[in-house]
Amino acid sequence: MILLLGALDAHAARVSSEVERTMQTRGTARVLVSLSAAGQPLLASRNALLRSNAIQTAVTRTERGLQPGTYRMRRKFALVGAFAVDIDSRALARLRRNPDVAAIDVDLAGGGHAVAPDESSDLNAVSPLLPLGLDGAGMKVAVVDTGVDLDHPDLQARVVGEQCFCTKLSGGGCCPNGAATQTGAGSAQDDHSHGTHVAGIIVGEGVVAPRGALPRASLVAVKVMDSKNAFCCISDVIAALDWLAVHHPDVDAVNMSLGTISTLYPGDCDAASATTQAMAQAVGALINRGAVVTASAGNQSNAGAMAMPACIRDVFSAGATWDFTGGPRSVFNCSETSTAPRQPACFSNRSTTTDLYAAGAYVTSAANGGGTLTWPGTSFAAPMMAACAVALKQAAPVAGPAERMDAMRLSPTRVTDAVSGRQYPFLDCIDAVRLLNPAIFGPFEAQCSGAPVPPADWSGSSAGAPSMQASPVQTPRTARSAWRGGMRPSDTRLRRH
């Protein structure tokens, strides 16, 4: 017996203190369980079929080890080695000892990062994409949010897919049909406006609201947040990404203007918990299919941490700046003595691993009921980046996610955070297009031979951005590991001289 207990202890899964506290207080907890890849190499396979089969086998085996009446399964995934489940203390004890389980954490709650005028799209250089022939035709973007107004004249013709994963913590669901999962027509109907607003920034046709960046792109809407712009559990968001990877593997960008509120992370958070491990897998599955995944940093005014999923290493994270010159202003419980274009907003979260800033306060876009709204937030900086990521794929079809993200990071315009002193690149989509495909601007720039890199004395100015010499100041991200997907500066053709 002593030897047996020792063997079990050797396989003990990590259980977070929050799970322990919740269990002591309530007697039950909704948790996200991540599976261990130890001895199960197929769990990490890049072959989708082999990976999916290995995950389903491990989940089934784990579930068989639980006693009926001690748990309720909430979410299973196709390509993510994890599952969400309600458990009591008996189920927790069995999961803790199960060698298939790596970690057990609370299924985190969160919400949308919002409370744009359209100076934001001009500052971010996404509004001038149409004259270059970059209108999104043949491209696809997904918005994981509160859904979209399916009857809005700016969006109704753009929607090509819908799904809902929206759970109420008290039980039941917040999908349009009242369930926790809904598929097909009507499943992503917005009941808040946040998702409609975000979608309009990317694909709005400009019938009622200001035109979006890519008015001919196709839109897949996935509802994960309720009428209060909140999600109960991060597993719903993971389920949305997992569903997109399986059912829309051709998606070019996925935007998540949402994140945890009470739990923030100071750096790359992939290994921090069962929830971040599962989120990293879901993001990885989409990147492996060619999608750039963007997320808002959050609006808690934190100068050293971001929300999850923005903190995931391969998620392209967005901080927000102002887009206008003005006097004192208070937003999200923070106050500015004045505002200016490209000035980092005091409400924006940021850390050493924040990828990019984009103008996001204020942005006018589509709203529920066929009208418009003007809101500030990192929620509206992220879709600017998602729109640019799609445009870059249209401009340079062979460019992978890492190349497209790098092209945006190499913006010649930098902003400085007044609190930390850190510098970050500011989105200039026209500049990024020029890096990946200079020929799109005409014969003169197309004469360059070799890699698509601008000449050494090129000023880098576009869309009203201040002229700056080449050789950008390295941000914390680029100095440490900007070249995602295993790419390093010596491996990539995207760099300034």
Side-chain angles (χ1 to χ4, degrees), residues 58 99 121 349 402 427:
S121 58
N349 291 344
L427 177 63

Side-chain angles (χ1 to χ4, degrees), residues 387-442:
C388 186
V390 174
L392 292 175
K393 183 65 178 293
Q394 187 176 9
V398 299
E403 286 182 293
R404 287 183 277 153
M405 290 188 286
D406 286 339
M408 287 185 272
R409 286 194 198 95
L410 285 171
S411 167
T413 305
R414 293 294 190 267
V415 300
T416 301
D417 171 28
V419 176
S420 68
R422 291 189 295 264
Q423 286 193 329
Y424 299 91
F426 180 83
L427 177 63
D428 183 339
C429 196
I430 294 300
D431 175 77
V433 171
R434 182 177 282 109
L435 276 175
L436 286 178
N437 184 6
I440 203 169
F441 294 90

Side-chain angles (χ1 to χ4, degrees), residues 105-128:
D105 289 276
V106 168
D107 198 352
L108 295 172
H113 292 150
V115 173
D118 299 295
E119 289 87 345
S120 288
S121 58
D122 291 334
L123 281 174
N124 295 324
V126 296
S127 59

